[in-house]
Amino acid sequence: MHRFWNLFGYLKGAGKSGAGHHEPSVNDSRLANLLENTADLVSFYDGDLRLTQFAARLGDIRGSAMVAGASVWEIYPALADGESREALDRVLRDGVPCTTALHLVPNRKPLRALLFRTSDGLGIIESADMHAKPVEEAEHVKLLHQATHDVLTGLQNRRRFSERLDEILSDANGPRERSALLQIDLDDFKSVNDTLGHGTGDTLLQLAANRIRGVLQDGDSAYRYAGDEFAVIQYGKGQPGDAEWLAEALVDAFKAPFIINDIPLFVGASVGIAFGPQHGTESEELMKAADIALYAAKRDGRGCFRTFNRSMMLLLEQRENLRRSLRMALERDELYLEYQPLIRPPATIVGFEALLRWNHPEIGLIPPNVFIPMAETDGLMDEIGRWVLEQACRQAMTWPSPLTIAVNLSPAQFLGGSLTDTVAQIIDSVGIRADRIELEITETVLLEQTVDNLDTLNTLNVLGIRISLDDFGTHYSSLGYLKNFPFDTLKIDQYFIKDLVTDQKSQTIVRSILSLAHGLGISVTAEGVETEGQARWLIDEGCDCLQGNFLGAAMSVSALRDYTVRPLQEVHDLEGQGRHK
Ligand code: C2E
Ligand code: MG
Ligand code: MG
């Protein structure tokens, strides 16, 4: 108690300095110094009982509640009534210090605090010495820590993040122009979490938090505010230099693999930077700006940082416009299908893959890789997918009967649970044989809602529809999928085909896929065959089916009619060359 009373004696005059007061006054810089360093939880209030100054440690513990101007009741709600209220009134009226019990956390043992009148208001000390039971203090601090920190990574949490952002943006006296928000997103976290399990995902997040901590400088504070989304707030720094330096350091820190259970995982980080107040005077606005910059970093290839600028905003607006017009595209007949041949060597057209196109009236042709993800996030993929399937099946009905039609399915089409009904209805209304339809899915379908989606695939299989696994080798190819579901076809992604002739590694991978698939009785199609050399290599290795610009690019319905003869001739030539080898 001795130390506390000394401190109290010193502080009684604090809160307002200057001569003319009958109470002893305390030099402002010494007070500031003391408040910065004391372990005691001291705070001062003016005549209206609004917070004027407080110990730094109190700020650490209470977070945003400790904002200048907050009323004493916001900070200590327990002072509003009961015995504590009486004590407060008494102290203010009589000027006699008094200790009182404060319930900070409901249903927990109260803390004791000393209330004392100052020259112009009130002072409160929750001194470590004052807590009758140190365990309570520890518990109290622990609870407050839990409320403001993320349990998994120990970084400050979302609540603290928004509080801090509000704080710095509203700090009229502070160096507002020198605050920076860096949003950090882990590239490919979702794949790790989905394929290697949440345990690995959690470990990865902890290691990621450590790497972020490792590059922080004085005055930077780091937060985890959602799943794999982290942020750093910089305040009172030399901008833009410091933020850019930190962003660079963050990106570099994520370049080395994370080793979890002896598995090296390459998970990069993308960073978006926005500066307050020029990119936003409200926290929401600043977060949006940083988010747009982050989006730009991801679009530019990930593993890099971008600083917000207005032209990004324009790009985003264009994207939003695009999004809006996509809703109308079906009605306005702007979507159509092209068909790309699938060739069984030496020269048999097995069928065609339907590839969706959007001809935007002002922009022109927009690639499916751009608008399909939009349709997926906007909940349009069900409707568009249904249209594609029906359109493609009707087209296939105009071809000779053995020719098949391959149609891509988006994972979004599996979500509603009505995919099998939709497919059955279309087969019925078009009158096509189910075994002429091949539905292409990617591994993402198997990653999400695995059991339901497997059920859906099995039902489609029972209908007689063939199922192929598209883009094989580019995701976290898990051989478990091949065991769990009887795929008819496996499509090797063009990534492995493009340098097939010269790259030994690609050759080894393609050979292994061929032998694996054939061992399981699965047919293999090579995608993106662009050259004769690739085609010949694949034919020699026993690839069942080829697809690519060398054999025929995706083409419109009208071009399809002229197609039949010419490429067949080319492939015949190819076969001849193959024989003479
Ligand atoms: P995918 O299903 O793997 O389709 C093959 C992609 O490779 C097509 O791109 C095709 O035009 C392209 N391609 C074919 N041969 C070659 C070649 O020799 N060289 C090169 N560089 N590329 C070649 P496209 O049409 O841009 O489609 C991209 C992706 O968009 C498709 O990849 C598919 O995932 C998706 N997609 C297209 N149509 C649909 C659809 O109707 N529904 C869904 N859900 N996705 C679709
Ligand atoms: Mg495909
Ligand atoms: Mg593909």
Side-chain angles (χ1 to χ4, degrees):
M1 257 338 191
H2 176 72
R3 187 169 74 82
F4 157 68
W5 282 107
N6 278 350
L7 179 72
F8 166 62
Y10 178 74
L11 289 175
K12 235 165 59 117
K16 189 175 189 176
S17 61
H21 290 277
H22 60 279
E23 310 256 6
S25 76
V26 176
N27 169 292
D28 246 356
S29 71
R30 275 167 58 202
L31 173 65
N33 220 308
L34 185 136
L35 290 177
E36 194 56 41
N37 295 301
T38 180
D40 295 289
L41 307 178
V42 191
S43 52
F44 292 107
Y45 305 82
D46 63 14
D48 296 327
L49 299 188
R50 298 203 164 270
L51 183 67
T52 53
Q53 284 166 295
F54 54 91
R57 182 154 172 254
L58 203 47
D60 291 341
I61 294 177
R62 291 285 148 69
S64 74
M66 303 308 291
V67 64
S71 84
V72 73
W73 296 288
E74 285 170 67
I75 297 162
Y76 295 109
L79 284 177
D81 39 46
E83 278 177 27
S84 300
R85 177 64 198 231
E86 283 168 24
L88 173 66
D89 290 342
R90 213 168 38 246
V91 168
L92 291 173
R93 189 182 59 236
D94 306 336
V96 179
C98 166
T99 54
T100 183
L102 293 178
H103 280 273
L104 283 181
V105 181
N107 304 325
R108 297 279 164 168
K109 284 182 185 160
L111 292 176
R112 285 162 60 77
L114 176 84
L115 315 179
F116 58 98
R117 199 169 75 184
T118 61
S119 52
D120 68 340
L122 175 74
I124 298 181
I125 308 178
E126 292 169 48
S127 163
D129 292 359
M130 295 185 65
H131 299 298
K133 291 184 183 135
V135 182
E136 280 178 31
E137 149 98 345
E139 175 78 350
H140 162 67
V141 170
K142 198 174 111 202
L143 282 170
L144 285 165
H145 188 273
Q146 278 172 3
T148 52
H149 287 72
D150 168 40
V151 181
L152 184 67
T153 62
L155 292 180
Q156 298 182 74
N157 63 15
R158 185 189 191 96
R159 176 179 143 195
R160 194 57 202 118
F161 169 68
S162 14
E163 288 169 355
R164 179 68 183 145
L165 213 52
D166 286 342
E167 228 166 79
I168 59 167
L169 288 171
S170 63
D171 180 3
N173 303 319
R176 298 174 61 187
E177 71 284 359
R178 288 189 287 149
S179 59
L181 168 60
L182 293 89
Q183 305 243 42
I184 307 156
D185 195 83
L186 306 192
D187 303 329
D188 268 342
F189 172 74
K190 192 175 171 339
S191 304
V192 172
N193 209 35
D194 288 344
T195 45
L196 301 175
H198 296 293
T200 303
D202 284 355
T203 309
L204 178 61
L205 290 172
Q206 287 168 336
L207 297 176
N210 288 346
R211 290 203 186 171
I212 294 173
R213 275 193 200 97
V215 293
L216 294 185
Q217 305 289 303
D218 280 352
D220 300 342
S221 43
Y223 307 82
R224 173 175 175 234
Y225 67 93
D228 64 332
E229 292 168 48
F230 297 86
V232 174
I233 295 176
Q234 285 190 326
Y235 189 54
K237 295 239 156 176
Q239 300 300 9
D242 280 353
E244 285 169 358
W245 181 91
L246 182 65
E248 182 98 62
L250 283 164
V251 167
D252 281 349
F254 280 78
K255 285 200 171 138
F258 291 90
I259 314 284
I260 303 176
N261 299 332
D262 294 331
I263 304 172
L265 298 170
F266 288 88
V267 176
S270 302
V271 181
I273 309 175
F275 295 107
Q278 63 263 47
H279 298 149
T281 48
E282 300 288 326
S283 56
E284 223 166 85
E285 201 186 348
L286 193 64
M287 278 173 71
K288 185 158 183 227
D291 218 39
I292 292 171
L294 176 62
Y295 172 77
K298 289 184 161 243
R299 188 202 50 208
D300 292 351
R302 301 164 160 216
C304 61
F305 76 88
R306 291 288 176 268
T307 301
F308 175 80
N309 63 46
R310 302 283 160 197
S311 59
M312 283 178 185
M313 197 76 189
L314 276 180
L315 267 180
L316 198 85
E317 275 162 19
Q318 279 169 3
R319 237 187 126 74
E320 282 310 308
N321 288 340
L322 208 61
R323 223 173 246 289
R324 272 192 290 277
S325 38
L326 181 57
R327 292 190 167 269
M328 253 77 88
L330 250 188
E331 289 166 29
R332 291 183 186 162
D333 258 358
E334 291 165 12
L335 298 183
Y336 66 96
L337 295 178
E338 285 193 335
Y339 297 89
Q340 185 173 34
L342 296 151
I343 306 294
R344 185 184 320 120
T348 310
I349 304 175
V350 178
F352 294 87
E353 176 175 0
L355 293 162
L356 185 55
R357 303 289 177 252
W358 180 14
N359 192 8
H360 190 284
E362 284 133 41
I363 302 172
L365 214 55
I366 299 170
N369 294 339
V370 171
F371 73 84
I372 287 177
M374 280 183 183
E376 285 170 341
T377 46
D378 285 11
L380 300 173
M381 208 50 225
D382 238 5
E383 196 186 342
I384 293 178
R386 192 181 314 136
W387 179 86
V388 169
L389 184 62
E390 176 159 2
Q391 195 75 9
C393 289
R394 288 198 187 284
Q395 184 58 41
M397 286 299 280
T398 68
W399 304 334
S401 154
L403 290 188
T404 59
I405 176 72
V407 177
N408 293 285
L409 284 186
S410 145
Q413 288 171 266
F414 283 75
L415 294 179
S418 60
L419 181 63
T420 45
D421 289 346
T422 305
V423 174
Q425 274 165 18
I426 290 173
I427 291 177
D428 206 39
S429 74
V430 175
I432 191 170
R433 271 194 5 235
D435 63 2
R436 290 186 61 195
I437 303 174
E438 180 136 9
L439 296 177
E440 299 193 357
I441 62 156
T442 57
E443 284 160 75
T444 330
V445 167
L446 297 164
L447 289 178
E448 289 163 12
Q449 298 187 2
T450 310
V451 177
D452 289 354
N453 289 357
L454 265 183
D455 283 351
T456 306
L457 287 177
N458 280 317
T459 313
L460 291 169
N461 212 19
V462 169
L463 287 177
I465 288 168
R466 297 143 66 86
I467 308 286
S468 54
L469 188 53
D470 204 352
D471 304 342
F472 188 76
T474 49
H475 303 271
Y476 279 87
S477 304
S478 158
L479 301 182
Y481 305 145
L482 302 180
K483 186 166 172 250
N484 292 341
F485 185 77
F487 287 101
D488 295 281
T489 310
L490 210 148
K491 298 186 77 174
I492 308 179
D493 194 81
Q494 48 180 279
Y495 176 74
F496 301 104
I497 307 298
K498 65 179 192 309
D499 48 7
L500 189 60
V501 178
T502 50
D503 183 48
Q504 291 252 324
K505 285 185 189 146
S506 292
Q507 291 179 359
T508 307
I509 291 168
V510 172
R511 261 194 211 107
S512 313
I513 297 177
L514 279 164
S515 112
L516 172 76
H518 288 160
L520 293 165
I522 302 173
S523 166
V524 178
T525 298
E527 298 188 85
V529 180
E530 289 183 341
T531 67
E532 184 188 326
Q534 293 165 348
R536 196 190 291 158
W537 192 94
L538 288 159
I539 292 170
D540 282 352
E541 292 295 329
C543 186
D544 305 277
C545 195
L546 309 185
Q547 176 181 11
N549 294 349
F550 178 69
L551 302 130
M555 60 194 94
S556 64
V557 175
S558 56
L560 208 59
R561 272 180 231 116
D562 303 330
Y563 170 72
T564 38
V565 190
R566 189 171 45 85
L568 283 176
Q569 189 59 44
E570 281 176 18
V571 179
H572 272 302
D573 286 345
L574 181 74
E575 185 198 15
Q577 287 155 11
R579 278 209 203 103
H580 291 126
K581 261 198 335 164

